[in-house]
């Protein structure tokens, strides 16, 4: 046998050859036959073959296992590269065929495989995180995710873990995050609007906003607030309802403030009492967006204003006579300022009769008097232009009267105190007096136009203004004629004086001429001119009526001597002249 004489140093002295020799010695000693020896040797050789065959089979199985491992590694490597969408790892290209022993090939493939596995795990985690965020935002928008809920980690498709796929998820996540941010800003703006409206309306903000969703309270962070379509819709609807309520309450409180102001003015309410409701009247003319004070439109404020209006209404009924006479006095003052004569006694008697009647209604009486006051104001406004020119005429007549008295003063050129001021006033008075005819003509034209438009006569304190103007023209014409006669008489007197001087040699002192006939106008002492009744010349009075029809006294301009210096009069005359 080939192994009989094999010496293995690892086995020491015991080898197959030494054992075979020892077996032959035993056989010789025993006396085994050659056939038996051959059989035993054949059996021994067969058993050796069996051992070799088992070893070969084991080696073949191990080789097959290694080959399978190598194939699996290569397949896994290929699958990972395909899943990750990469053809190389760290810049090293994986070849399709490799050389070397099986173990060398496995040793060469393992590092790449481990690196790809680690990269796959990292990529799977990235995909899971992105998909979880996407699903969370989607559920938040849909409203299916409640506050405090957490989603399970989503399933990741490991067949496609490429960066392209990951970028697609990232792009979708960015779009959803942008939409979430937009919705969150809308939510916060609407919540802020609800807070402001609740503050103005005096409502509980926390209870109001949590009716829409519990996450909208201030205790919940912004990232945890609901951004669903339902929350946005309900919140927008609530803001609209609160704005409508704000409009209604503002209209109501403005109406109450207007009523309070009218009642206060009607009854002369003190400033202290009015200040108690400054928080109501301050918004009487405010725009909707300007009303932002906390509690400005609260229900208790409206109720407080309503109670005050009711109280003042009851008080108004008890003080109606006083209020009505106050309105009547206002009406009389308007007519007095407009120089319109009315029967005040009859008007007051009518008011008393209406109040004492059984069908008396305070609101109707006040409305009627307000209507009369409005008509009186319109009438006074239509007469304003003519009355201003009458005042100018009156001023010119006063200056004319003063100028006549001043001209008759023999000491007007003396060096007395204030004489230069009188000279200055006289110069301005002459300029103003020269304009009287033009003023009268303009007054006639405007008065006639006014009467033609109104189809009624224009009266001044009960006297027709045109009649007064006509009388003034006649008197002025007579005055001019008398002046001419006086000038002619003076010439004759001068001639007689000259003749006497020639005859007797001395010149007699000239006789003082008769005073000329004055024009209708107020004298310095307030008297009438040429015996004209005061009733006809009331327009020319210095200070107006001495007493009104209801007995109330008015200011009367005091009389002044001829040499009296009045700077105020000077200024008035100068202003009228420039006008």
């Amino acid at each position: 046998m080939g192994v009989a004489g094999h010496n293995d140093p690892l086995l020491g002295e015991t080898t197959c050859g030494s054992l075979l020799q020892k077996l032959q010695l035993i056989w010789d000693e025993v006396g085994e036959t050659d056939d038996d020896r051959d059989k035993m040797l054949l059996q021994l050789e067969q058993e050796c073959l069996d051992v070799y065959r088992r070893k070969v089979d084991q080696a073949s199985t191990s080789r097959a296992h290694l080959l399978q491992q190598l194939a699996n590694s290569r397949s896994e490597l290929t699958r990972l590269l395909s899943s990750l969408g990469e053809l190389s790892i760290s810049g090293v290209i994986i070849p399709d065929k490799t050389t070397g022993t099986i173990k060398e090939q496995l040793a060469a493939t393992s590092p790449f495989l481990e690196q790809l596995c680690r990269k796959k795990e990292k990529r799977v985690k990235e995909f899971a995180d992105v998909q979880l965020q996407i699903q969370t935002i989607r559920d938040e928008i849909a409203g299916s995710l409640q506050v405090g809920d957490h989603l399970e980690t989503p399933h990741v498709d490991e067949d496609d873990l490429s960066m392209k796929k990951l970028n697609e998820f990232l792009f979708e996540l960015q779009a959803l995050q942008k939409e979430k941010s937009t919705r969150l800003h809308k939510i916060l703006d609407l919540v802020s609007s609800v807070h402001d409206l609740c503050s103005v309306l005096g409502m509980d903000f926390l209870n109001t906003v949590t009716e829409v969703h519990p996450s909208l309270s201030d205790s919940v962070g912004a990232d945890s607030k609901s951004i669903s379509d339902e929350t946005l819709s309900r919140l927008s609807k609530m803001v609209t309802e609160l704005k409508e309520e704000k409009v209604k309450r503002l209209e109501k409180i403005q109406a109450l403030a207007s009523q309070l102001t009218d009642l206060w003015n009607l009854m002369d309410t003190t400033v202290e009492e009015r200040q108690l409701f400054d928080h109501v009247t301050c918004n009487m003319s405010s725009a909707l967006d300007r009303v932002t004070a906390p509690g400005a439109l609260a229900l208790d404020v409206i109720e407080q204003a309503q109670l005050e209006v009711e109280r003042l209404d009851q008080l108004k009924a008890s003080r109606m006579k006083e209020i009505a006479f106050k309105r009547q006095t206002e009406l009389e003052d308007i007519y007095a300022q407009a120089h319109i004569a009315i029967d005040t006694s009859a008007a007051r008697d009518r008011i008393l009769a209406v109040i004492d009647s059984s069908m008396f209604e305070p609101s109707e009486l006040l409305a009627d008097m307000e209507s009369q006051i409005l008509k009186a104001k319109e009438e006074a406004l239509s007469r304003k232009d003519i009355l201003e020119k009458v005042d100018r005429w009156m001023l010119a007549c006063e200056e004319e009267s003063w100028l006549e008295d001043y001209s008759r003063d023999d000491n007007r050129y003396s060096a007395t105190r204030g004489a230069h001021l009188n000279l200055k006033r006289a110069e301005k008075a002459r300029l103003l007096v020269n304009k009287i005819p033009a003023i009268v003509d303009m007054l006639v034209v405007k008065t006639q136009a006014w009467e033609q438009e109104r189809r009624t006569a224009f009266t001044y304190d009960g006297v027709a203004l045109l009649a007064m103007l006509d009388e003034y023209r006649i008197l002025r014409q007579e005055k001019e004629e008398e002046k001419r006669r006086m000038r002619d008489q003076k010439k004759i007197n001068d001639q007689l004086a000259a003749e006497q001087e020639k005859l007797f040699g001395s010149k007699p002192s000239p006789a003082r001429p008769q005073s000329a006939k004055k024009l209708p106008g107020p004298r310095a002492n307030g008297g009438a001119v040429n015996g004209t009744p005061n009733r006809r010349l009331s327009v020319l009075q210095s200070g107006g009526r001495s007493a009104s029809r209801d007995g109330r006294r008015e200011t009367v301009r005091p009389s002044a001597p001829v040499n009296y210096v009045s700077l105020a009069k000077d200024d008035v005359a100068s202003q009228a002249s420039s006008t």
Side-chain angles (χ1 to χ4, degrees):
M1 295 179 60
V3 296
H6 178 69
N7 295 324
D8 192 347
L10 296 176
L11 297 178
E13 296 179 356
T14 304
T15 60
C16 292
S18 62
L19 291 175
L20 182 58
Q21 290 177 1
K22 187 181 289 187
L23 183 58
Q24 290 177 353
L25 291 175
I26 294 172
W27 283 342
D28 290 339
E29 186 179 353
V30 172
E32 291 290 342
T33 62
D34 292 336
D35 294 334
D36 293 335
R37 291 183 179 187
D38 292 336
K39 288 180 182 179
M40 289 182 184
L41 290 173
L42 182 62
Q43 183 180 0
L44 183 59
E45 185 176 358
Q46 186 64 39
E47 289 177 359
C48 289
L49 289 175
D50 291 339
V51 171
Y52 277 106
R53 188 177 291 113
R54 286 196 303 271
K55 292 297 181 181
V56 170
D57 292 339
Q58 290 176 1
S60 297
T61 302
S62 177
R63 184 188 62 180
H65 181 68
L66 291 175
L67 289 173
Q68 184 64 38
Q69 287 182 352
L70 181 60
N72 292 338
S73 297
R74 289 180 175 177
S75 176
E76 181 69 14
L77 187 64
T78 304
R79 187 181 67 82
L80 289 175
L81 289 172
S82 176
S83 174
L84 296 174
E86 299 180 4
L87 298 177
S88 64
I89 301 175
S90 301
V92 179
I93 300 177
I94 306 300
D96 294 337
K97 296 181 180 181
T98 58
T99 57
T101 64
I102 298 175
K103 289 185 177 182
E104 290 175 351
Q105 295 179 31
L106 280 174
T109 306
S110 295
F112 298 104
L113 188 61
E114 291 176 0
Q115 186 176 354
L116 286 177
C117 288
R118 289 193 299 269
K119 193 167 187 176
K120 174 187 175 183
E121 291 177 359
K122 182 179 178 181
R123 190 71 58 82
V124 169
K125 187 176 182 302
E126 291 177 355
F127 269 82
D129 291 341
V130 172
Q131 291 180 9
L132 180 61
Q133 295 181 52
I134 290 174
Q135 189 61 39
T136 301
I137 296 177
R138 284 178 177 175
D139 291 346
E140 288 177 352
I141 294 175
S144 58
L145 184 63
Q146 302 299 326
V147 178
D149 292 347
H150 298 283
L151 295 176
E152 296 181 357
T153 304
H155 174 71
V156 178
D157 183 12
E158 297 184 0
D159 292 337
D160 190 357
L161 299 175
S162 62
M163 287 300 300
K164 179 180 179 181
K165 188 68 174 179
L166 182 60
N167 290 332
E168 291 177 0
F169 281 120
L170 290 173
F171 180 78
E172 182 180 0
L173 177 60
Q174 290 177 357
L176 289 173
Q177 288 175 339
K178 184 177 180 180
E179 183 178 357
K180 178 180 178 179
S181 177
T182 303
R183 286 171 173 261
L184 186 59
H185 279 90
K186 289 182 180 179
I187 290 291
L188 295 177
D189 290 342
L190 291 172
V191 170
S192 178
S193 299
V194 172
H195 181 274
D196 295 341
L197 290 169
C198 288
S199 175
V200 174
L201 298 175
M203 300 172 62
D204 189 344
F205 164 71
L206 184 60
N207 292 337
T208 303
V209 78
T210 51
E211 290 180 1
V212 177
H213 198 276
S215 66
L216 300 180
S217 63
D218 294 336
S219 60
V220 180
D223 293 337
S224 301
K225 294 187 183 299
S226 174
I227 58 172
S228 63
D229 293 335
E230 182 181 2
T231 301
L232 277 171
S233 177
R234 294 182 61 186
L235 199 56
S236 299
K237 183 179 179 182
M238 175 168 286
V239 170
T240 302
E241 292 175 353
L242 290 176
K243 286 183 178 179
E244 293 175 354
E245 182 66 18
K246 182 179 179 181
V247 171
K248 293 179 182 178
R249 292 192 186 184
L250 180 59
E251 292 175 352
K252 194 168 187 178
I253 209 164
Q254 285 179 342
L256 291 172
S258 178
Q259 295 178 21
L260 282 175
T261 304
D262 294 340
L263 290 169
W264 287 338
N265 295 334
L266 189 65
M267 294 184 288
D268 290 333
T269 305
T270 62
V271 177
E272 290 76 11
E273 293 181 10
R274 297 188 184 197
Q275 287 177 348
L276 298 176
F277 292 89
D278 283 345
H279 59 289
V280 176
T281 56
C282 66
N283 295 319
M284 185 168 61
S285 58
S286 300
L288 184 65
D289 297 336
R290 296 296 181 89
V291 182
T292 56
L297 303 178
L299 289 177
D300 56 346
V301 175
I302 296 177
E303 183 179 359
Q304 181 185 7
Q306 287 175 338
L307 293 176
E308 181 65 11
V309 169
E310 293 175 0
R311 186 185 72 82
L312 292 177
D313 279 334
Q314 295 175 359
L315 184 62
K316 180 184 71 174
S318 62
R319 296 176 55 189
M320 183 49 59
K321 185 179 296 186
E322 177 185 350
I323 296 171
F325 281 158
K326 179 184 175 182
R327 282 286 185 264
Q328 179 63 26
T329 301
E330 182 181 353
L331 181 63
E332 293 172 2
D333 290 341
I334 294 173
Y335 280 129
Q337 292 174 5
H339 295 277
I340 301 174
I342 59 173
D343 190 352
T344 58
S345 299
R348 292 175 179 270
D349 293 340
R350 184 183 65 84
I351 291 174
L352 291 175
V354 171
I355 293 177
D356 295 337
S357 66
S358 58
M359 303 298 293
F360 169 63
E361 179 61 36
S363 59
E364 293 181 0
L365 176 61
L366 292 179
D368 179 62
M369 298 196 71
E370 290 292 343
S371 177
Q372 293 182 40
I373 291 174
L374 182 61
K375 291 180 180 178
K377 289 180 178 179
E378 293 177 354
E379 182 75 11
L381 183 62
S382 69
R383 298 164 59 92
K384 181 179 179 181
D385 188 24
I386 296 177
L387 291 177
E388 288 177 351
K389 289 176 173 54
V390 169
D391 291 339
R392 187 181 176 192
W393 174 43
M394 180 177 66
L395 176 63
C397 290
E398 290 179 1
E399 291 299 295
E400 184 181 28
S401 178
W402 179 88
L403 186 61
E404 289 180 356
D405 289 341
Y406 177 74
S407 300
R408 288 193 296 269
D409 185 9
D410 296 334
N411 298 323
R412 60 183 180 274
Y413 297 117
S414 62
T416 59
R417 183 180 180 182
H420 66 288
L421 297 178
N422 286 330
L423 288 173
K424 186 177 181 180
R425 176 179 175 182
E427 181 181 356
K428 293 183 178 180
R430 291 187 186 94
L431 295 176
L432 183 59
V433 169
N434 291 335
K435 296 180 180 180
I436 290 180
I439 295 174
V440 173
D441 292 340
M442 185 183 299
L443 263 176
V444 171
V445 172
K446 287 188 172 293
T447 305
Q448 289 176 347
W450 187 92
E451 291 182 348
Q452 183 177 2
E453 179 183 357
R454 300 277 177 163
R455 298 183 181 277
T456 184
F458 188 100
T459 60
Y460 190 95
D461 290 335
V463 181
L465 181 59
L466 288 178
M468 295 171 61
L469 295 172
D470 290 340
E471 183 177 356
Y472 177 82
R473 283 176 167 176
I474 294 172
L475 293 176
R476 188 177 183 84
Q477 186 176 1
E478 293 176 357
K479 176 74 174 293
E480 295 296 332
E481 292 176 357
E482 185 175 354
K483 284 183 178 180
R484 283 196 298 271
R485 288 194 302 268
M486 290 179 63
R487 284 195 297 269
D488 294 341
Q489 184 66 34
K490 185 177 180 181
K491 290 179 180 180
I492 295 173
N493 293 336
D494 292 341
Q495 291 176 359
L496 290 175
E499 291 175 359
Q500 289 180 0
E501 185 178 359
K502 291 178 180 181
L503 293 175
F504 301 103
S506 64
K507 183 177 180 181
S509 59
R512 186 174 181 177
Q514 298 280 333
S515 61
K517 193 174 186 179
K518 291 186 180 180
L519 296 178
R523 295 291 301 272
N525 58 3
V529 181
N530 295 326
T532 305
N534 289 332
R535 181 182 61 83
R536 301 293 304 277
L537 298 179
S538 60
V539 68
L540 303 179
Q541 289 180 355
S542 300
R545 299 177 299 168
S546 61
S548 61
R549 297 184 184 274
D550 57 355
R552 292 180 293 117
R553 298 196 61 81
E554 296 181 353
T555 304
V556 179
R557 184 177 301 162
S559 61
V562 174
N563 291 332
Y564 175 71
V565 179
S566 173
L567 296 180
K569 173 66 72 175
D570 190 7
D571 296 338
V572 173
S574 176
Q575 182 180 1
S577 175
S578 62
T579 304

